[in-house]
Amino acid sequence: MKEITCKLLVIGAGPGGYVCAIRAGQLGVDTVIVEMAKPGGTCLNIGCIPSKAIIHAADDFTKTVAMAAGRNAMGIKADNPAIDLAKTMAWKDGITGRLTLRVAGLLKKAGVKIVVGRAKFRDGKTVAVETETGEQVIRAENIVIATGSAPVELPMLPFGGKVVSSTGALSLTEVPERLAVVGAGYIGLELGIAFAKLGSKVTIVETLDRILPLYDTQLTQPVAKRLAALGVEVLLGTKVKGLSSNGEALLAETGSGEERRIAADRILVTVGRKPVIDGWGREELELDMDGRFLRIDEQCRTSMRGIHAVGDVTGEPMLAHRAMAQGEIVAEIVSGKRRSWDKRAIPAVCFTDPEIVSVGMSPDEAKAAGREIKIGQFPFSANGRAMTLSAEEGFVRVVARADNHLVLGIQGVGAGISELSAAFALAIEMGARLEDIAGTIHAHPTQSEAFAEAALKALGHALHM
């Protein structure tokens, strides 16, 4: 094959990679992107998008079941609800297929050349790609590593058979009667709750003594309450040991030394993700590491000139929108613009029931940093729109400096609260003070009014509580 030369080569077409390539193409940078699977990466194809589709289907199904059982306060009735999971998965696949085609179309529109295959570095400027038609050599002035992450596999529970990762869980065509979930982080709880709503008997096993350890207890309490209401058994302080000899049960040991046998048709392992740092020729380069991640500076530059890295391969938080922001920054830097990376306002969203959002500092983090703070919290039980949605569980909380009222962090838990994440992040990004939020007119009746009321509460004069 004829050798390709370009100004920018992007390895990986996940959120960070494809956004980087599209923006670079828009800026007139001669760009090539290499991807061995479908455009969109984990997030679009086997992560964020398909999981949210299944979560939505599960929400609708559990509401229908409640109507059939006469547990609907609005008087709506339904008869004999059922779910065809294979059809649900086909609907989910249709969504991801449309988005994959759209990403490919946007890359072409931006003038980006797409090479399908597995990339491997020969040196800091040269990459060889294994394609279906042979090896393709690409030489580039600048290279972006956007290889993403993969599920962590437990030695005693290797993936295969009844043991699945989130990818496998999102491809099931039948609802498992009994589902064991290993790990009570956001992936395990999002999918565990969804399958509980679809009809599975779900047991969650977690080594730590709490669920969702990245969020404070006040935020996770409504989720724990909902787990109990759904009949989900949560075993905290419990370690998994492996499968029983006949493979029919998950073996675990509680903190007191008691052995538990958890009967399961499927075992979903969600104990985290690891950066993909092997398989693309890292050994041919001299890249500094930051633990298990590639070390980058404020411009996403690695330790080698001309090589940048974005997304999960560069560290926590492993979030698609973080990768996208980094990808856009790198594209603009390569084009000659002055940009730098600032991660103070990255929203973290957990799509459990209810949902959780956190941006900036929590109260504990602010105090640990030596800040004197004001905290304002407003419950959805006092919000008219939440009442009309039968979604009164949860609250919005604002954390601000005590001296000048600068907002340091915003958190919330409640139905659909993920849609407020942009407002929360914007407030911190723009350097808002409590008075700015409280003085902004929030439409009535909306759940967003709880945001303004939380700021008013921190100022000492909430209007509706």
Side-chain angles (χ1 to χ4, degrees), residues 128 199 270 319 327 379:
T270 59
L319 298 171

Side-chain angles (χ1 to χ4, degrees), residues 170-218:
L170 291 169
S171 300
L172 297 176
T173 55
E174 294 184 357
V175 177
E177 183 178 344
R178 301 162 301 178
L179 175 68
V181 179
V182 180
Y186 73 96
I187 297 175
L189 289 196
E190 286 181 3
L191 293 178
I193 288 173
F195 276 99
K197 290 179 176 180
L198 292 172
S200 295
K201 170 56 181 173
V202 176
T203 302
I204 296 174
V205 181
E206 170 57 52
T207 304
L208 300 178
D209 60 359
R210 52 173 301 191
I211 63 171
L212 298 172
L214 296 180
Y215 300 93
D216 64 72
T217 303
Q218 195 175 19

